[in-house]
């Protein structure tokens, strides 16, 4: 698909979804798209990139992750590393869709990175023809959204800071928060009355092979999600929770990409990473906690 067709497709989707958007500067409704620029009621403007995503940031990001990190994550998702998780999320959303009265299900992946999870989920949901489904992926990283919009069409991709409120209240039926920080105040504002949050957090043995090899004899050799889960319980009425644990066979190339994308490698000693790659590691453990909840009102 050439650049013009990509932009035309993105503009059509943006126009269809414009009622979701509000200005992150003044909070007023985004009114129109003119010459690939969004305008709010007070005249603030936001550009649509050549790749078809909207940049709704009005401040500089202090720490921008590299494009290489997101390319590595895209690769890891493409080999099915998170496939069982993605399938479980599709099943949970379908269960919710059957129960809600809403006929137009808007799903936002908060901290979507390069978009692989949302793309898989939206594609599977659209195959069911149950209800209309709109996917919105947001991330504060321009590099991540750039990869997402390049790889995956038919989803509204936005560079945005959720804390700055670029979306209208009671807009969303489902918020996905996968291995990413939460903003429960904004979740509450954005969800429709019977909307749900699906949060995925690492469990004790997530990527344990990396943790044990990179951080042996340190506190980081073990992991606990206790604080994250306790904060979640303060904000959500828990409807469902499940531990999902499985292992994935990986080649040396796969392991190199995994190391490139995970924060576990960012403070690891380079010598330990090299030694790890020299070992005969055949599989990596995926251990995740999936929690579905409604906001406490």
């Amino acid at each position: 698909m050439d650049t013009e067709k990509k932009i035309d497709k993105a503009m059509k989707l943006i126009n269809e979804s414009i009622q979701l958007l509000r200005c992150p500067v003044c909070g007023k409704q985004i009114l129109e798209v003119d010459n690939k620029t969004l305008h709010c009621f007070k005249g603030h403007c936001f550009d649509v990139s050549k790749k078809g995503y909207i940049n709704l940031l009005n401040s500089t990001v202090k720490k921008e992750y590299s494009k290489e990190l997101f390319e590595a994550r895209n690769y890891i998702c493409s080999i099915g590393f998170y496939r069982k998780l993605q399938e479980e999320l599709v099943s949970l959303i379908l269960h919710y869709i059957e129960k809600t009265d809403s006929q137009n299900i808007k799903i936002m992946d908060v901290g979507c990175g390069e978009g692989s999870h949302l793309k898989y989920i939206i594609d599977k949901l659209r195959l069911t023809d149950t209800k209309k489904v709109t996917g919105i992926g947001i991330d504060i990283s321009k590099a991540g959204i750039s990869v997402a919009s390049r790889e995956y069409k038919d989803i509204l991709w936005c560079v945005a800071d959720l804390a700055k409120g670029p979306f209208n209240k009671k807009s969303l039926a489902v918020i996905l928060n996968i291995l990413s920080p939460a903003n429960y105040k904004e979740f509450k504002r954005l969800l429709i009355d019977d909307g749900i949050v699906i949060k995925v957090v690492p469990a004790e043995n997530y990527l344990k092979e990396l943790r044990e090899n990179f951080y042996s004899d340190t506190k980081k050799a073990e992991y606990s999600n206790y604080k994250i889960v306790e904060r979640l319980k303060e904000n959500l009425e828990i409807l469902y929770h499940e531990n999902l644990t499985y292992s994935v066979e990986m080649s040396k190339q796969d392991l190199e990409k995994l190391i490139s994308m995970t924060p576990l490698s960012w403070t690891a000693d380079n010598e330990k990473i090299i030694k790890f790659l020299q070992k005969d590691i055949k599989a990596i453990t995926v251990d995740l906690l999936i929690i579905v909840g409604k906001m406490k009102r």
Side-chain angles (χ1 to χ4, degrees), residues 21-31 39-46 56-58 164-168 189:
L21 303 174
R22 74 173 192 175
C23 178
V25 178
C26 66
K28 299 296 183 181
Q29 176 69 36
I30 298 290
L31 294 178
H39 303 268
C40 84
F41 183 78
K42 285 196 171 182
H44 298 115
C45 301
F46 304 91
L56 290 168
L57 277 183
N58 63 341
K164 301 293 175 64
F167 302 95
N168 286 317
R189 187 182 71 82

Side-chain angles (χ1 to χ4, degrees), residues 51-108:
K51 292 183 179 177
Y53 65 81
I54 310 170
N55 191 338
L56 290 168
L57 277 183
N58 63 341
S59 58
T60 304
V61 177
K62 291 181 180 179
K63 183 178 181 181
E64 173 68 89
Y65 296 130
S66 69
K67 186 177 180 182
E68 287 71 25
L69 180 151
F70 293 108
E71 297 285 10
R73 177 174 154 178
N74 189 257
Y75 173 89
I76 289 299
C77 287
S78 75
I79 65 171
F81 189 79
Y82 293 107
R83 181 68 72 239
K84 290 185 179 180
L85 167 65
Q86 293 166 341
E87 290 171 349
E88 182 64 19
L89 296 178
V90 170
S91 178
L92 289 169
I93 294 170
L94 280 173
H95 179 71
Y96 165 76
I97 286 174
E98 290 176 359
K99 293 185 173 184
T100 184
D101 293 331
S102 178
Q103 296 302 307
N104 188 351
I105 306 298
K106 296 180 178 66
I107 300 171
M108 179 181 287

Side-chain angles (χ1 to χ4, degrees), residues 10-222:
M11 296 307 298
K12 182 176 183 293
L13 182 59
I14 290 167
N15 276 300
E16 290 173 352
S17 308
I18 201 165
Q19 75 282 357
L20 292 172
L21 303 174
R22 74 173 192 175
C23 178
V25 178
C26 66
K28 299 296 183 181
Q29 176 69 36
I30 298 290
L31 294 178
E32 62 179 350
V33 184
D34 178 40
N35 195 27
K36 302 180 181 62
T37 302
L38 279 68
H39 303 268
C40 84
F41 183 78
K42 285 196 171 182
H44 298 115
C45 301
F46 304 91
D47 293 332
V48 179
S49 80
K50 291 180 180 180
K51 292 183 179 177
Y53 65 81
I54 310 170
N55 191 338
L56 290 168
L57 277 183
N58 63 341
S59 58
T60 304
V61 177
K62 291 181 180 179
K63 183 178 181 181
E64 173 68 89
Y65 296 130
S66 69
K67 186 177 180 182
E68 287 71 25
L69 180 151
F70 293 108
E71 297 285 10
R73 177 174 154 178
N74 189 257
Y75 173 89
I76 289 299
C77 287
S78 75
I79 65 171
F81 189 79
Y82 293 107
R83 181 68 72 239
K84 290 185 179 180
L85 167 65
Q86 293 166 341
E87 290 171 349
E88 182 64 19
L89 296 178
V90 170
S91 178
L92 289 169
I93 294 170
L94 280 173
H95 179 71
Y96 165 76
I97 286 174
E98 290 176 359
K99 293 185 173 184
T100 184
D101 293 331
S102 178
Q103 296 302 307
N104 188 351
I105 306 298
K106 296 180 178 66
I107 300 171
M108 179 181 287
D109 186 359
V110 176
C112 66
E114 44 62 68
S116 295
H117 296 315
L118 184 61
K119 173 61 176 174
Y120 182 90
I121 290 164
I122 294 297
D123 280 353
K124 290 295 182 181
L125 292 176
R126 285 175 176 163
L127 289 175
T128 66
D129 289 328
T130 308
K131 297 180 181 180
K132 183 179 179 181
V133 176
T134 301
I136 306 108
I138 79 163
D139 202 288
I140 202 166
S141 171
K142 185 177 177 180
I145 294 296
S146 179
V147 174
S149 59
R150 181 196 72 201
E151 294 289 324
Y152 309 122
K153 311 308 166 191
D154 300 319
I155 289 173
L156 183 64
W157 300 111
C158 303
V159 182
D161 181 356
L162 188 68
K164 301 293 175 64
F167 302 95
N168 286 317
K169 66 181 181 180
K170 294 187 182 296
S171 299
L172 308 172
V174 179
I175 291 177
L176 299 171
N177 192 216
I178 305 169
L179 303 174
S180 183
N183 186 321
Y184 293 109
K185 182 180 179 181
E186 274 298 285
F187 291 177
K188 185 175 182 177
R189 187 182 71 82
L190 291 172
L191 283 173
I192 60 176
D193 289 341
D194 64 345
I196 59 170
V197 175
I198 303 179
K199 184 162 179 64
V200 180
V201 300
E204 181 181 358
N205 292 315
Y206 181 62
L207 306 185
K208 67 176 183 179
E209 294 81 7
L210 274 63
R211 190 176 292 279
E212 290 169 354
N213 279 274
F214 294 171
Y215 301 106
S216 56
D217 302 322
T218 73
K219 290 182 179 180
K220 292 182 80 171
E222 297 181 355

